[in-house]
mmCIF file of all heavy atoms in Angstrom:
data_model
loop_
_atom_site.group_PDB
_atom_site.id
_atom_site.type_symbol
_atom_site.label_atom_id
_atom_site.label_comp_id
_atom_site.label_asym_id
_atom_site.label_seq_id
_atom_site.Cartn_x
_atom_site.Cartn_y
_atom_site.Cartn_z
ATOM 1 N N ILE A 1442 108.371 108.734 90.744
ATOM 2 C CA ILE A 1442 107.141 108.048 90.552
ATOM 3 C C ILE A 1442 106.533 108.497 89.180
ATOM 4 O O ILE A 1442 106.012 107.619 88.443
ATOM 5 C CB ILE A 1442 106.206 108.309 91.718
ATOM 6 C CG1 ILE A 1442 106.726 107.527 92.917
ATOM 7 C CG2 ILE A 1442 104.787 107.938 91.429
ATOM 8 C CD1 ILE A 1442 106.003 107.818 94.212
ATOM 9 N N ILE A 1443 106.526 109.754 88.848
ATOM 10 C CA ILE A 1443 105.961 110.235 87.632
ATOM 11 C C ILE A 1443 106.745 109.626 86.440
ATOM 12 O O ILE A 1443 106.126 109.248 85.435
ATOM 13 C CB ILE A 1443 105.929 111.819 87.552
ATOM 14 C CG1 ILE A 1443 104.873 112.244 88.558
ATOM 15 C CG2 ILE A 1443 105.654 112.271 86.205
ATOM 16 C CD1 ILE A 1443 104.909 113.840 88.710
ATOM 17 N N THR A 1445 108.133 106.755 86.435
ATOM 18 C CA THR A 1445 107.768 105.309 86.330
ATOM 19 C C THR A 1445 106.365 105.130 85.853
ATOM 20 O O THR A 1445 106.099 104.281 84.983
ATOM 21 C CB THR A 1445 107.929 104.644 87.721
ATOM 22 O OG1 THR A 1445 109.247 104.799 88.182
ATOM 23 C CG2 THR A 1445 107.584 103.197 87.717
ATOM 24 N N PHE A 1446 105.437 105.902 86.366
ATOM 25 C CA PHE A 1446 104.068 105.661 86.078
ATOM 26 C C PHE A 1446 103.343 106.654 85.173
ATOM 27 O O PHE A 1446 102.167 106.459 84.808
ATOM 28 C CB PHE A 1446 103.247 105.531 87.483
ATOM 29 C CG PHE A 1446 103.679 104.380 88.243
ATOM 30 C CD1 PHE A 1446 104.542 104.488 89.340
ATOM 31 C CD2 PHE A 1446 103.120 103.116 87.938
ATOM 32 C CE1 PHE A 1446 104.925 103.446 90.068
ATOM 33 C CE2 PHE A 1446 103.546 101.968 88.754
ATOM 34 C CZ PHE A 1446 104.397 102.166 89.747
ATOM 35 N N GLY A 1447 104.062 107.765 84.951
ATOM 36 C CA GLY A 1447 103.481 108.717 84.002
ATOM 37 C C GLY A 1447 102.742 109.907 84.726
ATOM 38 O O GLY A 1447 102.623 110.966 84.214
ATOM 39 N N ARG A 1448 102.207 109.633 85.887
ATOM 40 C CA ARG A 1448 101.515 110.633 86.727
ATOM 41 C C ARG A 1448 101.204 110.018 88.039
ATOM 42 O O ARG A 1448 101.281 108.847 88.241
ATOM 43 C CB ARG A 1448 100.222 111.085 86.006
ATOM 44 C CG ARG A 1448 99.243 109.982 85.578
ATOM 45 C CD ARG A 1448 98.239 110.381 84.633
ATOM 46 N NE ARG A 1448 97.448 111.532 85.135
ATOM 47 C CZ ARG A 1448 96.739 112.317 84.322
ATOM 48 N NH1 ARG A 1448 96.692 112.102 82.970
ATOM 49 N NH2 ARG A 1448 96.018 113.249 84.781
ATOM 50 N N LEU A 1449 100.745 110.888 88.984
ATOM 51 C CA LEU A 1449 100.435 110.432 90.375
ATOM 52 C C LEU A 1449 99.003 109.850 90.385
ATOM 53 O O LEU A 1449 98.734 108.898 91.073
ATOM 54 C CB LEU A 1449 100.568 111.533 91.275
ATOM 55 C CG LEU A 1449 101.931 112.115 91.515
ATOM 56 C CD1 LEU A 1449 101.938 113.346 92.501
ATOM 57 C CD2 LEU A 1449 102.892 111.094 92.057
ATOM 58 N N ASP A 1450 98.117 110.428 89.579
ATOM 59 C CA ASP A 1450 96.714 109.872 89.510
ATOM 60 C C ASP A 1450 96.710 108.836 88.383
ATOM 61 O O ASP A 1450 96.096 109.080 87.279
ATOM 62 C CB ASP A 1450 95.719 110.992 89.338
ATOM 63 C CG ASP A 1450 95.969 111.890 88.137
ATOM 64 O OD1 ASP A 1450 97.083 111.894 87.601
ATOM 65 O OD2 ASP A 1450 95.071 112.621 87.734
ATOM 66 N N VAL A 1451 97.331 107.801 88.552
ATOM 67 C CA VAL A 1451 97.534 106.712 87.571
ATOM 68 C C VAL A 1451 96.201 106.284 86.996
ATOM 69 O O VAL A 1451 96.214 105.908 85.791
ATOM 70 C CB VAL A 1451 98.238 105.501 88.247
ATOM 71 C CG1 VAL A 1451 98.471 104.351 87.309
ATOM 72 C CG2 VAL A 1451 99.622 105.987 88.775
ATOM 73 N N GLU A 1452 95.172 106.357 87.712
ATOM 74 C CA GLU A 1452 93.801 105.956 87.195
ATOM 75 C C GLU A 1452 93.415 106.747 85.927
ATOM 76 O O GLU A 1452 92.563 106.345 85.221
ATOM 77 C CB GLU A 1452 92.822 106.006 88.243
ATOM 78 C CG GLU A 1452 92.413 107.326 88.849
ATOM 79 C CD GLU A 1452 93.423 107.768 89.938
ATOM 80 O OE1 GLU A 1452 94.407 107.180 90.216
ATOM 81 O OE2 GLU A 1452 93.043 108.817 90.515
ATOM 82 N N ASN A 1453 94.055 107.879 85.703
ATOM 83 C CA ASN A 1453 93.770 108.753 84.592
ATOM 84 C C ASN A 1453 94.756 108.651 83.436
ATOM 85 O O ASN A 1453 94.685 109.496 82.590
ATOM 86 C CB ASN A 1453 93.642 110.217 85.046
ATOM 87 C CG ASN A 1453 92.473 110.440 85.968
ATOM 88 O OD1 ASN A 1453 91.365 109.884 85.779
ATOM 89 N ND2 ASN A 1453 92.688 111.163 87.073
ATOM 90 N N LEU A 1454 95.543 107.563 83.450
ATOM 91 C CA LEU A 1454 96.510 107.330 82.290
ATOM 92 C C LEU A 1454 95.734 107.216 81.035
ATOM 93 O O LEU A 1454 94.724 106.499 80.931
ATOM 94 C CB LEU A 1454 97.389 106.155 82.585
ATOM 95 C CG LEU A 1454 98.521 106.263 83.542
ATOM 96 C CD1 LEU A 1454 99.099 104.848 83.800
ATOM 97 C CD2 LEU A 1454 99.550 107.149 83.002
ATOM 98 N N ASP A 1455 96.275 107.761 79.938
ATOM 99 C CA ASP A 1455 95.738 107.580 78.670
ATOM 100 C C ASP A 1455 96.001 106.209 78.068
ATOM 101 O O ASP A 1455 95.217 105.652 77.350
ATOM 102 C CB ASP A 1455 96.257 108.651 77.651
ATOM 103 C CG ASP A 1455 95.734 110.076 77.995
ATOM 104 O OD1 ASP A 1455 94.700 110.151 78.510
ATOM 105 O OD2 ASP A 1455 96.468 111.011 77.705
ATOM 106 N N ASP A 1456 97.130 105.657 78.424
ATOM 107 C CA ASP A 1456 97.553 104.360 77.851
ATOM 108 C C ASP A 1456 98.116 103.496 78.953
ATOM 109 O O ASP A 1456 99.338 103.382 79.129
ATOM 110 C CB ASP A 1456 98.628 104.527 76.782
ATOM 111 C CG ASP A 1456 99.046 103.220 76.116
ATOM 112 O OD1 ASP A 1456 98.179 102.297 76.203
ATOM 113 O OD2 ASP A 1456 100.137 103.088 75.602
ATOM 114 N N PRO A 1457 97.220 102.807 79.754
ATOM 115 C CA PRO A 1457 97.698 101.883 80.827
ATOM 116 C C PRO A 1457 98.233 100.612 80.263
ATOM 117 O O PRO A 1457 98.781 99.808 81.111
ATOM 118 C CB PRO A 1457 96.395 101.721 81.625
ATOM 119 C CG PRO A 1457 95.288 101.883 80.665
ATOM 120 C CD PRO A 1457 95.752 102.884 79.690
ATOM 121 N N ARG A 1459 100.862 99.798 78.901
ATOM 122 C CA ARG A 1459 102.307 99.569 79.037
ATOM 123 C C ARG A 1459 102.630 98.817 80.357
ATOM 124 O O ARG A 1459 103.757 98.499 80.597
ATOM 125 C CB ARG A 1459 103.078 100.903 78.881
ATOM 126 C CG ARG A 1459 102.877 101.894 79.940
ATOM 127 C CD ARG A 1459 103.581 103.133 79.553
ATOM 128 N NE ARG A 1459 103.339 104.192 80.544
ATOM 129 C CZ ARG A 1459 104.228 104.682 81.342
ATOM 130 N NH1 ARG A 1459 105.539 104.205 81.390
ATOM 131 N NH2 ARG A 1459 103.941 105.578 82.172
ATOM 132 N N PHE A 1460 101.634 98.727 81.225
ATOM 133 C CA PHE A 1460 101.752 98.048 82.530
ATOM 134 C C PHE A 1460 101.057 96.679 82.527
ATOM 135 O O PHE A 1460 100.238 96.440 81.646
ATOM 136 C CB PHE A 1460 101.131 98.935 83.586
ATOM 137 C CG PHE A 1460 101.787 100.206 83.790
ATOM 138 C CD1 PHE A 1460 101.228 101.341 83.258
ATOM 139 C CD2 PHE A 1460 102.978 100.331 84.396
ATOM 140 C CE1 PHE A 1460 101.833 102.611 83.431
ATOM 141 C CE2 PHE A 1460 103.594 101.541 84.675
ATOM 142 C CZ PHE A 1460 103.005 102.679 84.118
ATOM 143 N N VAL A 1462 98.360 94.945 84.334
ATOM 144 C CA VAL A 1462 97.261 95.446 85.105
ATOM 145 C C VAL A 1462 96.298 94.364 85.532
ATOM 146 O O VAL A 1462 95.986 93.414 84.735
ATOM 147 C CB VAL A 1462 96.446 96.532 84.261
ATOM 148 C CG1 VAL A 1462 95.304 97.063 85.119
ATOM 149 C CG2 VAL A 1462 97.338 97.624 83.871
ATOM 150 N N PHE A 1511 99.406 108.747 97.480
ATOM 151 C CA PHE A 1511 98.859 109.934 96.750
ATOM 152 C C PHE A 1511 97.448 110.095 97.183
ATOM 153 O O PHE A 1511 96.641 109.236 96.955
ATOM 154 C CB PHE A 1511 98.963 109.778 95.234
ATOM 155 C CG PHE A 1511 98.354 110.927 94.485
ATOM 156 C CD1 PHE A 1511 98.897 112.191 94.452
ATOM 157 C CD2 PHE A 1511 97.130 110.742 93.850
ATOM 158 C CE1 PHE A 1511 98.253 113.207 93.854
ATOM 159 C CE2 PHE A 1511 96.481 111.801 93.165
ATOM 160 C CZ PHE A 1511 97.091 113.076 93.115
ATOM 161 N N ASN A 1571 96.052 106.366 96.074
ATOM 162 C CA ASN A 1571 96.883 105.531 95.372
ATOM 163 C C ASN A 1571 98.094 105.221 96.180
ATOM 164 O O ASN A 1571 98.708 106.036 96.789
ATOM 165 C CB ASN A 1571 97.371 106.179 94.021
ATOM 166 C CG ASN A 1571 96.179 106.503 93.094
ATOM 167 O OD1 ASN A 1571 95.118 106.023 93.291
ATOM 168 N ND2 ASN A 1571 96.503 107.298 92.062
ATOM 169 N N PHE A 1573 101.680 103.623 96.278
ATOM 170 C CA PHE A 1573 102.902 103.392 95.397
ATOM 171 C C PHE A 1573 103.901 102.537 96.148
ATOM 172 O O PHE A 1573 104.234 102.928 97.250
ATOM 173 C CB PHE A 1573 103.533 104.673 94.945
ATOM 174 C CG PHE A 1573 102.697 105.401 93.946
ATOM 175 C CD1 PHE A 1573 101.826 106.417 94.363
ATOM 176 C CD2 PHE A 1573 102.785 105.150 92.615
ATOM 177 C CE1 PHE A 1573 101.059 107.159 93.460
ATOM 178 C CE2 PHE A 1573 102.061 105.807 91.699
ATOM 179 C CZ PHE A 1573 101.175 106.889 92.096
ATOM 180 N N PHE A 1577 105.083 99.129 91.551
ATOM 181 C CA PHE A 1577 103.680 98.915 91.292
ATOM 182 C C PHE A 1577 102.889 99.869 92.141
ATOM 183 O O PHE A 1577 103.405 100.514 93.143
ATOM 184 C CB PHE A 1577 103.251 97.524 91.568
ATOM 185 C CG PHE A 1577 103.259 97.004 92.975
ATOM 186 C CD1 PHE A 1577 102.122 97.000 93.732
ATOM 187 C CD2 PHE A 1577 104.425 96.573 93.551
ATOM 188 C CE1 PHE A 1577 102.100 96.529 95.038
ATOM 189 C CE2 PHE A 1577 104.430 96.173 94.820
ATOM 190 C CZ PHE A 1577 103.325 96.145 95.609
ATOM 191 N N VAL A 1578 101.659 100.076 91.717
ATOM 192 C CA VAL A 1578 100.684 100.973 92.532
ATOM 193 C C VAL A 1578 99.340 100.241 92.645
ATOM 194 O O VAL A 1578 98.882 99.508 91.748
ATOM 195 C CB VAL A 1578 100.571 102.283 91.706
ATOM 196 C CG1 VAL A 1578 100.029 102.119 90.360
ATOM 197 C CG2 VAL A 1578 99.695 103.277 92.521
ATOM 198 N N VAL A 1579 98.760 100.419 93.804
ATOM 199 C CA VAL A 1579 97.392 99.931 94.050
ATOM 200 C C VAL A 1579 96.528 101.137 94.215
ATOM 201 O O VAL A 1579 96.869 102.088 94.961
ATOM 202 C CB VAL A 1579 97.418 99.035 95.318
ATOM 203 C CG1 VAL A 1579 96.023 98.632 95.724
ATOM 204 C CG2 VAL A 1579 98.296 97.902 95.273
ATOM 205 N N ILE A 1580 95.398 101.105 93.436
ATOM 206 C CA ILE A 1580 94.579 102.328 93.373
ATOM 207 C C ILE A 1580 93.288 101.973 94.096
ATOM 208 O O ILE A 1580 92.510 101.121 93.757
ATOM 209 C CB ILE A 1580 94.281 102.669 91.903
ATOM 210 C CG1 ILE A 1580 95.599 102.927 91.222
ATOM 211 C CG2 ILE A 1580 93.341 103.783 91.775
ATOM 212 C CD1 ILE A 1580 95.461 103.070 89.655
ATOM 213 N N PRO A 1588 92.335 98.526 91.263
ATOM 214 C CA PRO A 1588 93.269 98.208 90.185
ATOM 215 C C PRO A 1588 94.736 98.239 90.625
ATOM 216 O O PRO A 1588 95.120 98.966 91.585
ATOM 217 C CB PRO A 1588 93.156 99.395 89.202
ATOM 218 C CG PRO A 1588 91.672 99.934 89.546
ATOM 219 C CD PRO A 1588 91.553 99.682 90.998
ATOM 220 N N VAL A 1589 95.552 97.400 90.059
ATOM 221 C CA VAL A 1589 96.993 97.217 90.348
ATOM 222 C C VAL A 1589 97.735 97.320 89.047
ATOM 223 O O VAL A 1589 97.472 96.642 88.098
ATOM 224 C CB VAL A 1589 97.301 95.853 91.028
ATOM 225 C CG1 VAL A 1589 98.782 95.680 91.312
ATOM 226 C CG2 VAL A 1589 96.510 95.668 92.334
ATOM 227 N N TYR A 1590 98.651 98.278 89.002
ATOM 228 C CA TYR A 1590 99.568 98.498 87.832
ATOM 229 C C TYR A 1590 100.936 98.162 88.217
ATOM 230 O O TYR A 1590 101.511 98.784 89.110
ATOM 231 C CB TYR A 1590 99.521 100.015 87.420
ATOM 232 C CG TYR A 1590 98.168 100.505 86.867
ATOM 233 C CD1 TYR A 1590 97.062 100.627 87.629
ATOM 234 C CD2 TYR A 1590 98.078 100.862 85.560
ATOM 235 C CE1 TYR A 1590 95.863 101.119 87.139
ATOM 236 C CE2 TYR A 1590 96.900 101.350 84.978
ATOM 237 C CZ TYR A 1590 95.771 101.459 85.854
ATOM 238 O OH TYR A 1590 94.578 101.899 85.283
ATOM 239 N N CYS A 1591 101.483 97.191 87.511
ATOM 240 C CA CYS A 1591 102.846 96.693 87.768
ATOM 241 C C CYS A 1591 103.746 96.980 86.534
ATOM 242 O O CYS A 1591 103.303 96.917 85.443
ATOM 243 C CB CYS A 1591 102.865 95.167 87.957
ATOM 244 S SG CYS A 1591 101.890 94.717 89.435
#
Side-chain angles (χ1 to χ4, degrees):
I1442 288 174
I1443 291 173
T1445 302
F1446 294 98
R1448 57 192 305 157
L1449 296 175
D1450 57 343
V1451 177
E1452 63 278 9
N1453 293 319
L1454 280 173
D1455 290 333
D1456 182 24
R1459 65 185 178 112
F1460 297 101
V1462 180
F1511 175 71
N1571 295 350
F1573 289 94
F1577 69 99
V1578 60
V1579 177
I1580 300 170
V1589 177
Y1590 290 68
C1591 301

